[in-house]
Amino acid sequence: NIIRTGRGMMENGHYASSTIESNVDSLQQGWSNVSDILAQRQQRINEMLLLQQLLVEADNIEAWITLHVSLMSIDNHGTDQGSVESLIKAHLDVSSEINAYKKQIDALEDTSQQLAPQDRCSDVVVEKKFRITKNYELLLELADKRQARLNDMQLFFKYHDENEILLSWMGDRLAILESIEAPQDMPEADLLQRQFEGIQKEVNANQDRYQKILNDGQQLIDDDNSNSDEVKASMMPLTEKWDCLIILIGVKKDIIDKKKRLLDFLYEIEETRDWITQKGNGLGNELASTADPNTIIELQRQLNAVERDSLAVVERLNAIEAKKVELIDEQDGNKDILQHKVTELHQDWQDVQDKATKQRNILGECSDYQKLLFDIDDIHDWMKTQHLIVSSDDIANTLSGAEKLAKEHEEITYDVQSRQLIYNNILEIAPQYYTDDGNGRRLRQRVDELVQEWDEFLQSCQRRKLLLKQNYEHMLFQRDVKQLESALSKQDMFLTKAVAEMGMGRDHAKANKLKKFVKTIIDKERQKKLSLFSLIELVKRHKEYKKSLELCDEKVAHVKRFARRMSENDHYAAEKLVAKSTAIEDRLQDNYVKFKDAEVKLKQAVELQKFHQQCNELNDWIQEKQQFANDESYRDHSNLSGKLQKHQTFEAELVATKDQLDSIKDLGQTIVDDHPDAQSEVSDRIDELQNQWLSLCQASANKGRMLNEVYNQIQFNRTASDLESWMDHICSVLTTEDTGKDLITCTNIINQQVAIENDISARKDRIDQLDKQVQKFQESDHYDADSMLEKFNHVKERYEDLEEPCKEKRRRLEAARLFFQFFRDIDDETRWLEEKILQAKSEEVGTSLSEVHNYKVSHQNLCNEITSHEQILNGIYQTGEKLIADGHPSCEDVENKITSMKEKSVQLAGYCKDRDALLDKYYKAHQHLFEIDEAESWMIDKVAVLSSDERPKDEDSALTMKKKHEDLRSAIVDYHNHLQELHKASDELIEEELDVSDEIRDAIEDADNRFTQLKMLADDRHDRLAEIIKLYQFNRE
């Protein structure tokens, strides 16, 4: 309004138009400056706000990483298998969270790129980013290490538990085996043998388990498991205990087998003795010659029994004798018992034979004819008794009954074999008593009847045996059939129950079967809570029963082959067997069809249930996220970075959900391809999900666009404001004239100037970034693009104006630093020259060879240091000459400093030369004293050798000792020349009148005295050895 009024006055030709125009221009310029300052301040405030938000986010990320680093550093890896598995599950969740957190760090990096150039390159931001990157890498490394450690612990505890279980089992079995002692009777032996067989079966069953534990332990060691030492330590007791168990089993088995064989042998002896005693009962009675016929017949019967069984008794006695020999070889400690028992048994049989012989002699007085009649009557009576049994058609209805009948018939067969000898004897003896009288004809008739009865009896036995065999096979067949029927009945019950659980009946129409089935599954899920888990369990049980069905297939084939074989062998129940086997086979095939149909239906139910479950999960997720996508949180600019980051995470999650939707589509298409009746239901469900997902994507895109626009505008304004605030500060620094009062302050100012120049160069990227952002805003038709373009042009002009003041300030600072540096170097080198002059003027030379040597080394180092320092001095001279040439105000002071330093340098060189000569003299003197000491040490050693009282034991050792002594005397004579050389050197050093001259004189005199003593001792020892040799020669002669 003021400007418009002023311009109106100027247009009307006001007399103060020039003043008004000047005031209007001044007002416009002031207003423009105020607007620019406000814009710069606002931009800087926005930049600082973004910086602080980034720092807050960085602190949160650092705190999160620090927390999780501490979690990953916890040295808790579980104490057993269960705790380790819990820790692994928790670790997997944390690891997933750590990997997902990478998006937060990437978002922080993106945010840092939006900072102002000076903020982005500031120490705090760079340090924060570097620390976060390093700590996150450390966190990933710790997570991997902890995962590996937990996996190692899981494998170790699994191995440890298996090891402990096997060790406990072996400990129990070892205790049982150690408690086993040799049995004392047969029941105890049988009990121990059954117990031992059970242990042996357990050992055989655990053999693979033991080998697997060893292989697992070795695998852990080979894989360098963190508990390898414990694994190695646990494998040794396991192996030792297993070996001990195997050895103890062998030992106990040998003990039990030996004792059982002994007890079996003794039991067999006692059983044989009872049998022999039973045969001998009644043979000891005295028989008078006038005994009645019945008594004679009874005695004859007993004698026949003994005679009939004599071969069997002899065979058994021979077998017992053979076993006795084996047992004596095996168990030598029981030799007397075995021998005694067998001897008693032979004696008992001999007594029975003696009694039988005695009675047979008594019966010899009776006629053989009566014996023949007795044998005929005995066989006739026996066949009459057994005929009812062998001619019976009775059969058993159970397998045990069939086995019992077969055993009873086998006993009758043994009796037939035992009486075959008597029958043959009758046929052989009877013909001699055939006569024409009545007795002869009756005997012939009785023998013929006996032959006929015997043949009929044998035929009846054979028929009975065949019948009983077929009956036993029939019972076996029925047992197998019952087992198969039981298994098939269980399968039928399972199929019936499965169909009932799935809600399917057999009377459904084929056209609507699948559709009704699907509807039934859905209804059961909602009403009867038939879950996917129960369907999977049903599938598992179906597989188990199908395996049992496959096992039944082999049994049915066996039953069918058995029935066919019985039919071919004319079995009495052949038709029933064949019919039963055919019925079982038909039932098996029917179950195969049922199982196949149930398998298809179960597969359909599981697939459809999975489809609906996945659809429900995705639908719930979309409904939840729809609320988040439709909110207008971008209107509130607080924590906009966090909102944008949260939205980016949501978009990434939304993209990832597309794969889940595609997976559901593929699953639905698979169901439709396999079951076309479900197309409408599956298509409706997929279309519903597709529409919901597209709606969610649209809402997410709108919200993301609005968040980005608001966020980019705030970031741009913040960056521009920060740049203007920074340029204000830089301008104020560059306009100061301060160049420092000394080298330190000047250097600090130069460092600040370098930092400012680096900062200015670094801000160029920020300017370029703002340029790109403005162009992007123009292209995208941003609602505030013109205002942001104007602000950017102003910032760019100010940035370009900083170059010239910066160069001028740098030139003045470099000139000031050169002057201050020259005087600093002059002072330092002057102090150094004075210090080295004091070292070169020193008269310390040391009191020993090592000390003199150390002084020489130190002096040589000093000379080397002086030589190397000349280059530094020359550089200082050149700097001073440059200052003089440039006409510096302090030229006279510079020239005086250079002259003083050159004089001190010449003085230092002279002192060094004098000290070098002095040290050489004293080094030579002490070296000479060292050589004299070595000569005296050599002579002392030889004096000790010559002063020895050692005396040779014989002539040979005396000659050897004399030879060694002659060599020593020659060395002593030669050493005299060395002493003469030492004398000459000593005289030269004494003439120089050094501090050690008297010490040299005393040392050389002591060496002369020591040599005189050595020579006398050598001559004396030479004489003694000569006398000893003469003595030994005299004794020898």
Side-chain angles (χ1 to χ4, degrees), residues 768-799:
D768 295 339
Q769 184 180 2
L770 286 179
D771 190 10
K772 292 179 181 178
Q773 288 182 358
V774 169
Q775 293 177 7
K776 185 176 180 181
F777 293 152
Q778 294 289 334
E779 293 173 357
S780 61
D781 195 18
H782 196 280
Y783 69 91
D784 201 17
D786 296 336
S787 174
M788 288 188 285
L789 177 60
E790 183 179 355
K791 182 180 293 187
F792 169 72
N793 292 331
H794 178 69
V795 170
K796 186 176 181 181
E797 290 175 1
R798 292 194 62 189
Y799 178 80

Side-chain angles (χ1 to χ4, degrees), residues 488-505:
L488 294 174
S489 297
K490 291 180 180 179
Q491 295 166 10
D492 289 338
M493 290 177 62
F494 165 73
L495 290 172
T496 303
K497 186 177 180 181
V499 171
E501 287 183 2
M502 291 186 295
M504 295 184 297

Side-chain angles (χ1 to χ4, degrees), residues 341-403:
K341 291 288 185 180
V342 173
T343 303
E344 287 183 350
L345 183 63
H346 281 287
Q347 185 63 42
D348 291 343
W349 175 242
Q350 187 62 42
D351 293 342
V352 171
Q353 285 183 323
D354 293 343
K355 291 178 182 179
T357 302
K358 181 179 178 181
Q359 295 295 347
R360 195 176 291 110
N361 293 332
I362 294 173
L363 287 176
E365 299 175 0
C366 303
S367 64
D368 293 334
Y369 180 71
Q370 291 180 350
K371 181 176 181 298
L372 177 64
L373 294 177
F374 169 76
D375 290 339
I376 293 173
D377 292 338
D378 182 64
I379 290 178
H380 178 75
D381 294 340
W382 177 80
M383 284 192 296
K384 185 177 181 181
T385 303
Q386 301 296 331
H387 187 268
L388 292 175
I389 298 175
V390 298
S391 60
S392 174
D393 292 331
D394 295 338
I395 56 177
N397 295 324
T398 62
L399 182 61
S400 59
E403 291 176 349

Side-chain angles (χ1 to χ4, degrees), residues 941-979:
D941 293 340
K942 302 309 176 185
V943 167
V945 173
L946 294 174
S947 300
S948 174
D949 294 334
E950 183 181 3
R951 182 182 180 86
K953 298 179 181 180
D954 50 24
E955 183 179 355
D956 293 337
S957 61
L959 292 173
T960 302
M961 190 175 292
K962 181 180 179 182
K963 184 178 179 182
K964 291 182 180 179
H965 183 71
E966 291 297 335
D967 295 339
L968 181 58
R969 287 186 69 193
S970 300
I972 292 171
V973 173
D974 295 338
Y975 208 73
H976 184 262
N977 297 329
H978 180 60
L979 286 177

Side-chain angles (χ1 to χ4, degrees), residues 402-549:
E403 291 176 349
K404 182 179 179 181
L405 291 178
K407 188 174 182 181
E408 292 175 354
H409 186 76
E410 186 177 359
E411 292 177 356
I412 294 175
T413 303
Y414 290 152
D415 290 341
V416 170
Q417 293 175 358
S418 64
R419 283 171 170 77
Q420 183 69 41
L421 296 174
I422 299 175
Y423 174 74
N424 294 335
N425 189 36
I426 291 173
L427 295 181
E428 182 180 353
I429 297 174
Q432 63 183 348
Y433 294 104
Y434 292 166
T435 59
D436 295 334
D437 58 1
N439 291 331
R441 286 195 298 271
R442 282 195 298 274
L443 178 61
R444 179 190 296 272
Q445 184 179 358
R446 292 190 63 184
V447 171
D448 292 340
E449 292 175 355
L450 179 64
V451 171
Q452 183 178 359
E453 291 175 359
W454 181 261
D455 293 337
E456 291 177 356
F457 184 78
L458 291 180
Q459 293 176 2
S460 298
C461 286
Q462 191 64 30
R463 286 194 301 272
R464 181 66 175 173
K465 180 179 181 181
L466 179 61
L467 178 63
L468 292 178
K469 179 181 178 182
Q470 292 180 349
N471 178 240
Y472 179 74
E473 291 173 344
H474 188 191
M475 294 301 104
L476 285 176
F477 178 83
Q478 286 187 347
R479 181 197 64 183
D480 295 341
V481 168
K482 286 181 180 179
Q483 292 176 354
L484 283 171
E485 288 179 340
S486 176
L488 294 174
S489 297
K490 291 180 180 179
Q491 295 166 10
D492 289 338
M493 290 177 62
F494 165 73
L495 290 172
T496 303
K497 186 177 180 181
V499 171
E501 287 183 2
M502 291 186 295
M504 295 184 297
R506 296 183 181 180
D507 55 348
H508 288 183
K510 292 183 179 181
N512 299 323
K513 181 182 290 185
L514 183 58
K515 186 173 181 180
K516 290 182 179 180
F517 170 67
V518 171
K519 185 175 183 304
T520 303
I521 292 297
I522 296 174
D523 292 340
K524 280 184 174 289
E525 179 191 4
R526 295 175 180 174
Q527 299 175 8
K528 299 183 179 181
K529 298 182 180 179
L530 180 60
S531 63
L532 179 63
F533 176 76
S534 62
L535 283 175
I536 294 175
E537 288 297 320
L538 199 61
V539 171
K540 290 181 179 179
R541 290 188 335 197
H542 178 273
K543 291 181 179 179
E544 294 175 358
Y545 276 100
K546 189 173 182 181
K547 288 182 180 178
S548 67
L549 183 65

Side-chain angles (χ1 to χ4, degrees), residues 514 603-604 607-608 611 662-679 682-683 686:
L514 183 58
K603 183 178 178 181
Q604 296 173 7
E607 290 177 353
L608 198 57
F611 173 77
D662 293 339
S663 176
I664 293 175
K665 290 180 180 179
D666 294 339
L667 180 60
Q669 186 61 42
T670 303
I671 295 175
V672 171
D673 293 342
D674 295 339
H675 319 296
D677 295 339
Q679 182 174 3
V682 172
S683 300
I686 290 176

Side-chain angles (χ1 to χ4, degrees), residues 40 55 146 249 319 352 429 465 477 486 550 606 710 861 996:
Q40 292 173 5
L55 293 178
R146 180 167 177 81
I249 287 175
V352 171
I429 297 174
K465 180 179 181 181
F477 178 83
S486 176
E550 294 173 353
V606 170
V710 176
N861 293 336
V996 295

